Amino acid sequence: SPPRVETWSGGQAFQRVWSVYGGATVAPFGGVRDDGFRLRGVLGYADYGKGVTAFGDLLIGYHKQLGPVTIKVFGGLTVAEHASNLSELWLPPQGTEYGGKGVLEAWWNVSDQAWAAADLSFGSTHMDYGGRIRLGWRLWPELSAGLEGGSGGTAEPDLERDTARIGGFLRYEW
């Protein structure tokens, strides 16, 4: 039978910030690559040098396959626990925060070797937003390498911490 669960993990590091995260998406009524409803859970941790954040999402969504294009839409709850050693303007307030979150993901199998992906997210806790574009090349069926660019930040004026990044990635699928 087709798999019903998809798991992932990752991390990133750049000036003064690093994070790790992982999650799982469950297809309760069919295969994880088939059209249908999804449940997703995400957990992560970030260190800003002068503060830390633990975060999680609990989302419900839908997966739609349109030939070589996959579209996923999710919405639900996000929670973050902030702690800091110093009172810095660019750090969020200390304590636990709850809010809503929306996610849109698209994946395009350009050819047997090439693929492209785009992700967008928005959270209500600090009007947080994020986006990422990836262009990948399958070195082997399970291993891809490529370039990615992204940006993120907050629309809340008191916590302006916009970022932009570009880099490379390795992706292993098993």
Side-chain angles (χ1 to χ4, degrees), residues 23 45 51 150:
Y45 178 85

Side-chain angles (χ1 to χ4, degrees), residues 28-109:
F29 306 115
V32 76
R33 293 192 173 117
D34 299 332
D35 291 352
F37 287 98
R38 301 290 184 268
L39 300 172
R40 177 177 282 182
V42 179
L43 291 174
Y45 178 85
D47 187 321
Y48 298 93
K50 296 176 181 168
V52 296
T53 300
F55 55 90
D57 301 330
L58 187 56
L59 309 170
I60 188 168
Y62 195 82
H63 170 117
K64 180 69 178 170
Q65 193 69 41
L66 302 165
V69 175
T70 303
I71 307 241
K72 299 177 187 178
V73 178
F74 290 93
L77 175 69
T78 186
V79 62
E81 174 71 25
H82 305 285
S84 64
N85 298 328
L86 299 172
S87 177
E88 294 285 333
L89 181 62
W90 59 274
L91 288 172
Q94 295 185 38
T96 304
E97 298 176 305
Y98 301 90
K101 185 169 187 177
V103 177
L104 174 63
E105 301 174 349
W107 180 285
W108 175 30
N109 285 312

Side-chain angles (χ1 to χ4, degrees), residues 97-159:
E97 298 176 305
Y98 301 90
K101 185 169 187 177
V103 177
L104 174 63
E105 301 174 349
W107 180 285
W108 175 30
N109 285 312
V110 179
S111 70
D112 288 342
Q113 263 66 45
W115 56 269
D119 305 331
L120 298 171
S121 66
F122 182 82
S124 68
T125 55
H126 291 288
M127 308 302 283
D128 299 318
Y129 64 88
R132 176 178 65 182
I133 297 175
R134 286 182 160 184
L135 301 173
W137 185 263
R138 288 184 182 92
L139 304 171
W140 294 284
E142 303 86 13
L143 183 65
S144 297
L147 297 174
E148 76 172 12
S151 67
T154 178
E156 192 171 286
D158 292 347
L159 293 173

